[in-house]
Amino acid sequence: MIPNNDNNGGRERRTLWIVLLLNAAIAAGFFISGFFADSSALIANGVDNLSDTAVYALSLVALTRGETWKTRAATASGVMLLIFAGGILIDVGRRYLQGSEPIGPTMMVMSAIAGVVNYLCLRLLQRLKDPDVNLRAATTFSFNDFISNGGILIAGVLVLWLGTNWPDLLVGFATAIIAIKGGVEILRDARAETKKRERRSS
């Protein structure tokens, strides 16, 4: 009979593979639609989902490593999220200065599709029992994505209604702020895990 922790580990690996592949597909969709729709919000979420894909890959490797490696992988995830946020802020600033003409309907359709996919990813991750620091980081990423998708949908409606680019830029900016918050939370969680491990070993 396979031990329970092995069963749980197998389930974690399957879940991470599913969310990794889904996020890679959604990232590609965001980049393509963002390019044609001239949308900062869509491209921002494409970069976000691409960084998520890298984080899920790190999480898969971390499942077979020790606690120290897992904490380091989570720390790398948090730093990656903060770097992504900085890149989005630069893109929003560029579009604000140079101007843009986002296409509202494209934003609405893509955000609806991504919202369904990210909700599925979030539910799959939330079903895992006793998640480690790396899996908690992955859950934070999926939650951030789901919230951002709702923002894009609202922005698409406003862009279509008002005929202006500021809702798109606002969502791109908000996505970056959410990413900063998530990155800080992940780093705090990783630091807390490190201190907890140090207390156990002392």
Side-chain angles (χ1 to χ4, degrees):
M1 183 177 180
I2 300 174
N4 186 57
N5 59 345
D6 289 344
N7 281 333
N8 193 50
R11 185 177 182 182
E12 290 175 347
R13 278 189 290 274
R14 285 191 298 273
T15 298
L16 286 171
W17 269 114
I18 292 171
V19 297
L20 185 154
L21 294 174
L22 288 175
N23 272 270
I26 286 298
F30 270 130
F31 283 130
I32 294 171
S33 61
F35 175 78
F36 286 106
D38 196 18
S39 170
S40 177
L42 290 177
I43 292 176
N45 278 266
V47 176
D48 188 15
N49 282 97
L50 186 62
S51 67
D52 292 356
T53 302
V55 169
Y56 297 139
L58 279 174
S59 300
L60 276 167
V61 176
L63 286 176
T64 59
R65 303 298 182 96
E67 292 298 323
T68 300
W69 206 96
K70 290 181 180 181
T71 304
R72 289 174 180 170
T75 300
S77 301
V79 172
M80 189 181 303
L81 198 52
L82 293 177
I83 293 173
F84 143 74
I88 295 306
L89 289 175
I90 292 172
D91 182 67
V92 169
R94 179 186 66 82
R95 289 173 186 272
Y96 175 76
L97 295 174
Q98 298 180 357
S100 62
E101 297 180 1
I103 301 174
T106 303
M107 295 171 63
M108 293 160 62
V109 171
M110 188 62 211
S111 66
I113 295 172
V116 172
V117 173
N118 284 315
Y119 179 75
L120 174 62
C121 292
L122 182 61
R123 293 299 299 157
L124 287 171
L125 290 166
Q126 287 177 336
R127 289 176 183 174
L128 296 176
K129 296 180 179 179
D130 300 321
D132 60 25
V133 62
N134 237 31
L135 291 171
R136 292 196 296 272
T139 303
T140 298
F141 271 61
S142 288
F143 179 76
N144 290 347
D145 292 343
F146 183 67
I147 296 299
S148 297
N149 296 150
I152 296 174
L153 181 61
I154 295 172
V157 172
L158 292 175
V159 165
L160 182 62
W161 180 32
L162 301 174
T164 181
N165 71 343
W166 68 260
D168 176 61
L169 298 180
L170 182 61
V171 170
F173 179 79
T175 300
I177 297 303
I178 292 172
I180 291 172
K181 180 177 180 294
V184 170
E185 288 177 352
I186 290 170
L187 291 175
R188 284 177 178 171
D189 194 17
R191 190 178 302 113
E193 286 292 323
T194 300
K195 290 181 179 179
K196 187 188 300 182
R197 188 172 60 251
E198 289 173 351
R199 285 197 298 269
R200 286 199 303 262
S201 61
S202 61

